[in-house]
Amino acid sequence: MSGHRRRPPQSSSRRRRAPQQKRWIDYPRRGRTGVRRWLPSVRQLLALFLLLFGGTAAAVGYAYATVTIPDPNPSTLLQNNVYYWSDGTVLATDGSVNRQNVMLSQVPADVRGDFIAAENASFYTDPGIDPEGIARAVVHMAQGGSVQSGSTITQQFVKNTYLDQSQTLSRKFRELLISTKIGAVMSKDQILQGYLNTCFFGRQANGIQAAARVYYGLPVEKLDVSQGAFLAAAVNEPSLFQHADSDPRARAQAKARWSWVLDRMVDTGRLTPGQRARYAAAGFPAPKKWTPGSGLTGQTGYLVQLARSYVQAHDPAITDGSLSRGGYQIHTTFDRKKTADLARAVAKVRGERLDPAHRSVDRDVQVGAASVDPATGRILAVYGGPGFDHAHFSDNADTTGVPVGSTFKPIVLASALQHGAVLRPGTAPEPITPASKFDGDDGIKIKDQQGDYVTDDKDPSGLLHQHNDTPQRWGHITLRKAMEQSVNTPYVQLGEDVGHENVAGTAKALGLRPDSLAAPSAGFYIGTSTPSAIRMAGAYATFAASGMQSTPYSVTKVVRDGSALPVFTTPAPVRALPAAVADNVTDVLRGVISRGTGTKAQALGRTAAGKTGTTDDYRSAWFVGYTPRLATSVLLFREDPAHPQLQSLVGVGGLQKVFGGDIPTEIWTQYMRDALTGLPDTAFPAPAPLGHGSDEPGAPSPSPTHSAPPAKRPGKPGRKTAPTAAPTPGAPAPRPKCHHHKCR
């Protein structure tokens, strides 16, 4: 071939470029230089967004699927118990948390509207969270602010009920998840109810019921829309608005927020502009003055203690444990004014008669008192002592350790009038009337129904010689006169003739507790038993009510979770004594005040009946008295806190002897005067005639009125009948004394 020269062959690498390996993510971007190499493409950005969104959605979905609604915080289950005076105002609360849960139906619709307008206008339509609110919270946190609280009512309910109050992102995230899930198990009304019961309003008030009480002194049912607007405002800044009663700055801000809430009510269609204008014209609903930490001071502790005891005694399901968890609304019979009147009367007489700074014997003197409505048995007032705040926790009005002395004699008389008395062995009981005569001399021997003398191990003779307060020789006197002058011997013999079983039965019928009654003995008939002041007032109230007995009670209604418990109904009065018996006892006890040992009670200036009582060695002194409208007992005793046993009252108030007709009667009179102010003086029913009664053997015939003790004892035995008319009053006799128990 001609001289054409052949080119040498080229390598394959030079003929074509080797293919590059593919990457999952083209970043930094291949084929780009400079800044463009590091800028992601639109597709990359979209893919990243979808990846993040999907991952976040998956994570949230997983969290939502796995999160559970926790049990409510134990603190949200705690409530306090609220005790109410008889007029419906709050007497006291007890418990560690000031909360009383209510049903949503108890909250007025306009008040519910206040909270919805102020906190979450879309509450009934939103899914439980507010995306706009969440965005605002995120921006706020990104700017360095604190983590904001949940903005919807559902979120706030979840935070209050299931979570804590910590301000962290993790708590906020759980709050959002639970809020979206809670709607699947709870209705909107349930959520709103829970929210209103768990909000903190300041003034130590948790929940709207406590807030209504502490700010306005009202139950939530009686709040109006203006007051509700203030409470809706208080939720926002409770630590500030709780002082709106006294702090000008707090009041100004509270007023501005209150006005804004009402404007929101108009904006959301819950109020008309005209209604808004009327509330504006009425002015800012200023809350009442706040006195923190009042506690169970004065008589309050004793009243609460009485009510708690009554509630637990009548419903076994209410235990100390359930009361400690709270939630009970306990409506009592206690009268606010009469309770104050009684405490004031005790303080006044103590101040006038006792001088503990200069007389050591006056330092440990204690008073107990109780006042009962004869028609119903409602306990209207008690005086239990100086108060829990003075470390005196024992209720003197409800104590059962102080003998009642001769205030027991009317019970013996009532039993005798009803059952008669065995005046001679082997005979049937014979009728007794207040005009029946018995031996009133000091030191006489007492016989039982078998005609045997009653024995006494302390007497050298081995027989009981019953004594009075003085060796006065009364001779045979009527039971009326013996009651007026508190002569022991007739009533000890009468009690033996009537019989312990009958007298004890009458005492129980009048409402005295069996365990407070003393064992059979001669002293039983003149007051060795130890009923409480409350029960003694109740027994005498039965006389005032013509024999209809109403057991003293302190609670009218107990409400739990919005429902009244069925066991707390008003006790129905029952017939304890025939009307003729009760009215005749009252007629006799009127004489005690008009011409007997209770004459200081005449200062009351109205129709009244009563009996004095003093016990052995002057260890207690009583006066129990009544009008047709009110029965009250007062006891005086002395007890050294370091040695809890009754001490003698000798020397108290500078008196050599302390009788029931003295300091106790003064307290009774002072209290009854105040308690009955403005009420008419009502007469007792006229006592029906009881016919003729029998005298004990040995009584003189005929039965003259003893204006003075006879010079000589009648010696001829016999038994005559006596009319029921009261004897002509004679000159007051010296106070009698008894061997076992004094009587006045």
Side-chain angles (χ1 to χ4, degrees), residues 245-399:
D245 61 318
S246 56
D247 184 343
R249 172 175 166 269
R251 187 184 185 91
Q253 293 196 30
K255 187 174 182 179
R257 179 75 179 178
W258 161 80
S259 180
W260 177 85
V261 173
L262 291 180
D263 288 340
R264 287 287 297 159
M265 289 284 281
V266 175
D267 293 343
T268 58
R270 297 178 182 276
L271 279 183
T272 66
Q275 291 171 322
R276 169 71 177 87
R278 285 198 296 273
Y279 286 116
F284 175 64
K288 70 175 186 175
K289 185 175 178 58
W290 180 36
T291 306
S294 57
L296 301 180
T297 60
Q299 298 309 299
T300 303
Y302 307 119
L303 298 175
V304 168
Q305 188 172 270
L306 271 175
R308 282 177 65 103
S309 297
Y310 184 90
V311 165
Q312 290 185 273
H314 288 77
D315 189 344
I318 301 178
T319 63
D320 287 339
S322 62
L323 283 170
S324 69
R325 290 188 292 273
Y328 294 95
Q329 298 175 47
I330 300 171
H331 298 258
T332 75
T333 61
F334 307 131
D335 184 286
R336 181 197 289 264
K337 177 185 178 299
K338 287 181 174 60
T339 298
D341 289 340
L342 186 52
R344 187 168 52 250
V346 172
K348 181 176 186 297
V349 176
R350 286 185 68 108
E352 294 172 349
R353 300 298 304 276
L354 304 183
D355 186 8
H358 298 93
R359 277 193 302 266
S360 60
V361 72
D362 288 357
R363 292 173 190 166
D364 298 322
V365 174
Q366 298 191 34
V367 176
S371 197
V372 171
D373 177 9
T376 63
R378 294 164 65 97
I379 302 173
L380 301 176
V382 301
Y383 181 85
F388 286 10
D389 48 324
H390 290 82
H392 188 279
F393 301 103
S394 176
D395 184 358
N396 293 344
D398 199 31
T399 186

Side-chain angles (χ1 to χ4, degrees), residues 473-529:
R473 291 178 61 83
W474 291 95
H476 283 79
I477 56 175
T478 65
L479 294 174
R480 181 186 296 274
K481 188 174 186 66
M483 185 75 76
E484 292 171 357
Q485 302 303 324
S486 209
V487 185
N488 285 342
T489 49
Y491 277 92
V492 174
Q493 185 58 67
L494 176 65
E496 289 288 346
D497 293 341
V498 176
H500 178 273
E501 184 176 349
N502 283 333
V503 175
T506 299
K508 295 172 190 175
L510 292 172
L512 302 192
R513 297 183 184 276
D515 57 2
S516 72
L517 299 179
S521 71
F524 171 77
Y525 306 109
I526 50 174
T528 56
S529 296

Side-chain angles (χ1 to χ4, degrees), residues 180-234:
T180 57
K181 203 165 191 177
I182 202 82
V185 294
M186 297 181 70
S187 68
K188 288 289 187 178
D189 281 352
Q190 288 175 314
I191 294 170
L192 182 59
Q193 175 178 299
Y195 165 77
L196 293 174
N197 281 326
T198 55
C199 281
F200 179 65
F201 290 85
R203 295 192 177 188
Q204 301 171 349
N206 293 272
I208 193 169
Q209 177 74 294
R213 294 289 186 186
V214 77
Y215 281 102
Y216 293 110
L218 297 171
V220 67
E221 295 91 337
K222 294 188 178 181
L223 289 176
D224 63 31
V225 67
S226 183
Q227 294 162 333
F230 171 81
L231 294 182

